[in-house]
Amino acid sequence: MAFRKRREALRSILAGSACTRPGSVYDATSIRIAWDLGFELGMFGGSVASLAVLGDPDIALITLTELAEQMRRMSRAAELPVLVDADHGYGNALNVRRTIEELETAGAAGLTIEDTLLPQAFGQSGTQLIPLEEGVGKVKAALAARRDASLVVIGRTGAVSITSLDDAIARARAYQATGVDALFFTGIKTRTELEAIAAATTLPIVLGGAPEDMSDPLYLASQRVRIALQGHAPFAAATQAVYETLKALREGLPPKALKGLASSELTGRVTREAEVRARSRDFLGLRN
């Protein structure tokens, strides 16, 4: 299948012994830059997807169609394997099945399904979890929906910081029993928590954020953490750069006086200008 090589690359990361730091990607340009820089994996987070597509915060407003279309654009732009945050699967277990179908055909190398209650319930200010049995049903639906067996499906829980460590372990073990390829944890704050989870499970671990004293890749690898996220700084940096550039122009600075702009050489590399010129010559008879 067209995207199997990317999915097998993600599986190799999970089956390895090292901890990989993925690059945060959110559009065709960012994924090409990550690919050119040699990242082994891209992470397409739900929060950055909402920001890039809608300009809205991460409150479950983005739709499956919008997420899948953005993933499709990235898949076309670069061959980098991408792990997609599929949130709660956009509904119940049957919706999860549709989520798998759409993201698989869009080229995702893998995706995560979490047990957070989304969207936020009426009158509830704190984050809530769905019942364990419902979470298991969602994960089973995700696994059953795969048409390409190499697609990576990861069960995710934030129970450590929402309910308790014991609940997180119980959920992780239940998701592990369904046959998922890895376990994704958010909200882990201490090495004690991570070590307890690693001791209670056997699958590769994906870690969504951690305190500074847990940033050592060798330590994380020793606890079976194979992927450790490092936030979405690229989008934040891009936002700041666009803001400062537009602000300077609005205040009257001439375009030629702007600083920090991408060179024509870098822009040409990112847009694959040489390849486009070659195609124009070969297929359109143009002599550039």
Side-chain angles (χ1 to χ4, degrees), residues 21 31-41 80:
R21 297 279 194 179
I31 193 174
R32 277 186 175 167
I33 292 172
W35 176 244
D36 289 350
L37 289 173
F39 276 90
E40 298 91 351
L41 180 67
L80 182 69

Side-chain angles (χ1 to χ4, degrees), residues 2-86:
F3 301 116
R4 181 162 292 172
K5 182 178 179 181
R6 305 180 195 190
R7 291 162 186 163
E8 290 174 348
L10 174 53
R11 287 186 173 274
S12 293
I13 290 172
L14 294 174
S17 58
C19 177
T20 296
R21 297 279 194 179
S24 174
V25 296
Y26 52 88
D27 64 6
T29 299
S30 62
I31 193 174
R32 277 186 175 167
I33 292 172
W35 176 244
D36 289 350
L37 289 173
F39 276 90
E40 298 91 351
L41 180 67
M43 179 69 204
F44 186 30
S47 59
V48 77
S50 185
L51 289 169
V53 176
L54 303 178
D56 284 328
D58 187 17
I59 54 174
L61 294 179
I62 193 169
T63 67
L64 170 59
T65 300
E66 291 166 332
L67 182 76
E69 282 304 309
Q70 193 74 346
M71 183 65 247
R72 201 180 315 277
R73 294 182 185 103
M74 290 194 288
S75 294
R76 169 193 169 276
E79 298 177 21
L80 182 69
V82 175
L83 177 60
V84 181
D85 173 6

Side-chain angles (χ1 to χ4, degrees), residues 2 5 20 23 31 36 40 50 58 90 96 110 116 123-124 127 134 183 187 191 205 226 255 266 282:
K5 182 178 179 181
T20 296
I31 193 174
D36 289 350
E40 298 91 351
S50 185
D58 187 17
Y90 297 89
V96 168
T116 309
Q124 297 293 329
T127 304
E134 184 178 358
L183 298 168
R191 291 192 173 201
I205 293 173
R226 298 296 172 252
L266 176 57
D282 296 342

Side-chain angles (χ1 to χ4, degrees), residues 93 113-117 128-140 155-157 159 163 166-178 183:
I113 298 294
E114 66 184 83
D115 52 15
T116 309
L117 178 62
Q128 294 178 292
L129 300 178
I130 60 176
L132 173 57
E133 295 77 8
E134 184 178 358
V136 168
K138 283 190 171 187
V139 173
K140 286 182 176 179
R156 170 174 168 168
T157 185
T163 51
D166 288 342
D167 186 34
I169 289 174
R171 287 171 180 267
R173 283 175 166 168
Y175 301 153
Q176 177 174 286
T178 67
L183 298 168

Side-chain angles (χ1 to χ4, degrees), residues 99-124:
T99 297
I100 297 294
E101 292 170 347
E102 294 298 329
L103 289 175
E104 181 176 314
T105 57
L111 51 84
T112 66
I113 298 294
E114 66 184 83
D115 52 15
T116 309
L117 178 62
L118 296 172
Q120 192 167 356
F122 177 79
Q124 297 293 329

Side-chain angles (χ1 to χ4, degrees), residues 21 187-190 194 207-215 220 228-229:
R21 297 279 194 179
I188 293 178
K189 300 299 184 184
T190 67
L194 177 59
L207 192 60
E212 186 63 30
D213 68 341
M214 291 172 58
S215 62
L220 293 176
L229 276 57

